[in-house]
Amino acid sequence: MAIRVLLVDDQPLLRTGFRMILEAEADLAVVGEAGDGLQALEQVRALQPDVVLMDIRMPRMDGVEATRQITGPGRDGPAKVLVLTTFDLDEYVVEALRAGASGFLLKDAPAVELVQAIRVVAAGEAMLAPSITRRLLDKYAGRLPSGEEPLPQALGTLTEREVEVLKLVARGLSNAEIAAELFVSETTVKTHVGHVLTKLGLRDRVQAAVYAYESGLVRPGAS
């Protein structure tokens, strides 16, 4: 079964470019396009895509609110959202991740990265490139805890190993990379990640990474 993709961007030329890239892949199918957030909601309901490639800055309804409605309570389908950003201009990527996006990608990323990101998100994983994640969170460092505040009580529900896993997730490591780092199996890592998400009431790895920074557990720029 091909991965069904909905393209959401207010620039038709960009949508055309993305369509050409994606339709060259046998396992990807572009099922529709939208020029703003409201159209995106309509298309998600009508077409039931697996992945929504979502721009942030658009007329009528921006990508953050559209993402919130697509992935939030009472959503119409299982669509995952992959946010597209120009990075230097977009100021709302963190808000989009909080809203439920499964990751983000730079608009000038190579075609191979775009294709791989869609496959990763469709498989239920998070698209968290470490370099982009760190740059983004460094940019928002002024809004994050100073490190002097007490950690949230919810973190006390995690085991020592689960805290280790959460820190590595925040660094953007995949399950395989975390397994290698901790000398455990990928299955064990998946179990730990699942426990972290359940205990902290988080939707996915992206929200876990944002939580780790916002709680002060991990500091931008720290190794």
Side-chain angles (χ1 to χ4, degrees), residues 119-130:
R119 290 171 178 153
V120 167
V121 168
E125 294 290 335
M127 186 60 196
L128 279 174

Side-chain angles (χ1 to χ4, degrees), residues 35-117:
D36 60 51
L38 286 177
Q39 289 182 355
L41 297 181
E42 295 171 357
Q43 294 285 57
V44 166
R45 285 191 290 268
L47 302 173
Q48 296 291 300
D50 300 306
V51 177
V52 179
L53 204 57
M54 180 76 76
D55 189 19
I56 289 184
R57 297 193 175 200
M58 297 179 293
R60 299 208 298 166
M61 178 186 288
D62 65 26
V64 175
E65 180 57 30
T67 295
R68 184 175 293 112
Q69 293 197 31
I70 290 171
T71 64
R75 59 186 181 175
D76 292 307
K80 308 287 186 181
V81 175
L82 178 61
V83 171
L84 290 169
T85 173
T86 52
F87 186 73
D88 290 332
L89 297 177
D90 293 331
E91 301 173 356
Y92 308 107
V93 177
V94 167
E95 283 76 5
L97 297 179
R98 287 199 198 99
S102 293
F104 55 89
L105 193 69
L106 297 181
K107 281 190 175 181
D108 60 357
V112 64
E113 288 188 17
L114 172 62
V115 170
Q116 180 60 18

Side-chain angles (χ1 to χ4, degrees), residues 183-197:
F183 302 102
V184 297
S185 69
E186 284 191 57
T187 300
T188 298
V189 173
K190 289 181 181 179
T191 299
H192 287 316
V193 171
H195 288 166
V196 169
L197 298 181

Side-chain angles (χ1 to χ4, degrees), residues 145-207:
S146 66
E148 300 175 357
E149 299 88 347
L151 294 176
Q153 291 185 350
L155 285 174
T157 65
L158 303 184
T159 66
E160 183 176 343
R161 178 48 60 91
E162 287 166 357
V163 171
E164 286 183 287
V165 170
L166 177 56
K167 289 179 178 179
L168 295 175
V169 167
R171 284 171 47 192
L173 273 64
S174 66
N175 284 345
E177 291 167 334
I178 294 174
E181 182 88 9
L182 299 180
F183 302 102
V184 297
S185 69
E186 284 191 57
T187 300
T188 298
V189 173
K190 289 181 181 179
T191 299
H192 287 316
V193 171
H195 288 166
V196 169
L197 298 181
T198 299
K199 290 181 179 181
L200 299 181
L202 302 172
R203 180 183 296 109
D204 54 31
R205 297 167 71 96
V206 175
Q207 287 197 340

